Amino acid sequence: MRLVTPTPYPDRASARDQWILDRRPERNAVDPRRPYGFFVEQERTATGELVPIATILLTNRECPWRCLMCDLWRNTLIESVPSGTIPEQIDYALPRLASARHIKLYNSGSFFDPHAIPPEDYQAIADRVSSFERVIVESHPSLVGDRCLRFRDLLSGQLEVAMGLETVHPEALERLNKRMTLDQFAAAAERLGTNSIDLRVFILVQPPFTPREEALHWAERSLDFAFDCGATATTLIATRAGNGATDPLLQNGDFVPPDLRTVEQALDYGIQRNRASVFQDRVLPGRVFPCRVFVDLWDIERVAACPACRPQRIARIAAMNRSQSLAAEVPCEICGGAIAR
């Protein structure tokens, strides 16, 4: 393991928040009474069904953590929203969405942050999502506590909590300014499992301070860790540039965004390990997949790739997202489809 050339990025954790804030561009103008996005997509479940999942991107106060790679703050507010606003946003989105069985309530931060989602709104939110079989929210591991259990008890469906693991590269994780250790993540995951709450894990492919030639290795080790923590789903995210804070790192080589082939090979590994786990009696009763592995297709067209085979590779990734099985390799006379190891 090695880190590349030192950067102007602060060594002291206490100085990193301001360094990141100083380099941000303007945030987007958003309406506190409307979600900033909503849509329905198909996702393979742990039992093997392909079901429609509604996603509502809630407008609320920015996350208190200033993660180096984050760009989700662009669609957040400076102040907390009043009580009743989040249920109003859900009321706006639901009639405009096609029918779905599961719902994601994503808020660009932590659902259990009381400054983002007022706890007094939990009952109203639970009432509005009572028809869904599964409710998926996001949280920083440090906020998986009593509020999480309280919200679980109000739901008629299964609660699933998505947590950002990002990477198990120890030095890179510390420098991302997430203020979380692997032990803390594992403890939060155990707390979820003990309380019958499913775990979804977000993993960054090639985050800052990860050498390019080691990117696939660390994505694979991060998937291993998520599997070992009992995740029922993992999502691989190609680390994006352009949030302001990553710009100096791009300039001096401390951050190189991943190429599409690296992302594709990480998905291949995750699905292969998932399949192998089925034959090791690790799958729970009624489940076909011990842990589904997806690639986040948001802005996937921006990921560096060979122009000759880019469309076919994106189509292959999308097909594997849906099927949770390996698809035929994409040959390419231009790039050769080389594995980025």
Side-chain angles (χ1 to χ4, degrees):
M1 182 196 315
R2 69 175 180 82
L3 293 179
V4 291
T5 308
T7 76
Y9 185 64
D11 289 329
R12 292 182 297 109
S14 60
R16 290 173 183 165
D17 280 12
Q18 193 59 51
W19 189 94
I20 291 167
L21 290 172
D22 287 344
R23 284 154 180 79
R24 284 184 178 180
E26 294 294 319
R27 70 183 71 218
N28 298 326
V30 290
D31 184 343
R33 310 199 81 84
R34 296 287 182 267
Y36 72 87
F38 49 89
F39 48 88
V40 172
E41 55 191 350
Q42 300 286 318
E43 184 173 290
R44 186 70 62 179
T45 69
T47 57
E49 296 178 272
L50 192 63
V51 304
I53 297 186
T55 299
I56 302 178
L57 304 177
L58 299 168
T59 302
N60 62 160
R61 180 173 171 168
E62 180 187 347
C63 177
W65 287 274
R66 316 297 189 198
C67 296
L68 174 65
M69 71 294 172
C70 181
D71 59 7
L72 299 177
W73 55 267
R74 288 178 179 272
N75 294 302
T76 60
L77 301 164
I78 297 174
E79 303 294 334
S80 298
V81 296
S83 179
T85 303
I86 298 300
E88 182 180 347
Q89 292 183 32
I90 297 171
D91 285 340
Y92 181 86
L94 286 180
R96 293 168 171 81
L97 288 169
S99 177
R101 289 171 54 183
H102 300 176
I103 188 166
K104 296 175 182 176
L105 299 175
Y106 284 177
N107 68 301
S108 304
S110 296
F111 189 90
F112 304 113
D113 174 5
H115 299 294
I117 308 293
E120 58 267 31
D121 282 346
Y122 286 0
Q123 182 64 66
I125 294 170
D127 291 343
R128 283 155 173 79
V129 299
S130 61
S131 64
F132 293 95
E133 300 169 13
R134 178 175 293 267
V135 178
I136 306 163
V137 301
E138 304 169 295
S139 182
H140 190 280
S142 66
L143 295 178
V144 174
D146 291 342
R147 284 188 294 270
C148 178
L149 301 183
R150 176 185 165 194
F151 185 65
R152 176 207 61 183
D153 292 343
L154 296 172
L155 296 174
S156 55
Q158 173 67 39
L159 177 60
E160 179 177 317
V161 174
M163 299 196 303
L165 169 62
E166 321 307 358
T167 181
V168 296
H169 187 303
E171 294 176 56
L173 176 61
E174 191 276 329
R175 300 190 79 185
L176 290 180
N177 203 41
K178 193 175 179 70
R179 311 294 180 93
M180 176 200 80
T181 66
L182 295 180
D183 286 345
Q184 288 168 333
F185 185 96
E190 183 177 7
R191 195 174 306 123
L192 291 173
T194 300
N195 289 282
S196 302
I197 300 170
D198 286 341
L199 168 65
R200 180 175 297 240
V201 176
F202 296 135
I203 293 171
L204 293 175
V205 179
Q206 204 165 315
F209 309 111
T210 303
R212 184 173 187 172
E213 66 273 17
E214 298 179 13
L216 182 57
H217 169 81
W218 288 107
E220 291 173 349
R221 300 295 74 75
S222 300
L223 283 164
D224 292 342
F225 188 86
F227 270 64
D228 292 343
C229 284
T232 60
T234 59
T235 300
L236 296 162
I237 302 171
T239 310
R240 297 184 287 263
N243 71 344
T246 56
D247 293 345
L249 307 184
L250 280 168
Q251 293 167 8
N252 66 10
D254 281 343
F255 172 46
V256 179
D259 59 56
L260 192 61
R261 187 60 175 159
T262 305
V263 176
E264 182 184 18
Q265 290 296 317
L267 178 62
D268 285 354
Y269 173 83
I271 288 178
Q272 286 174 322
R273 178 169 173 184
N274 190 8
R275 286 297 189 183
S277 295
V278 173
F279 300 103
Q280 296 170 3
D281 298 324
R282 296 188 58 191
V283 66
L284 297 175
R287 284 186 171 165
V288 175
F289 306 114
C291 180
R292 293 150 293 144
V293 184
F294 306 106
V295 166
D296 183 0
L297 296 177
W298 182 269
D299 265 358
I300 196 69
E301 294 80 8
R302 291 175 53 192
V303 178
C306 168
C309 62
R310 177 197 297 272
Q312 294 88 347
R313 294 202 180 281
I314 292 176
R316 179 176 186 260
I317 290 170
M320 291 196 294
N321 275 356
R322 292 190 299 270
S323 69
Q324 289 300 292
S325 60
L326 293 177
E329 286 278 350
V330 176
C332 181
E333 295 181 357
I334 304 300
C335 71
I339 296 176
R341 287 187 184 273

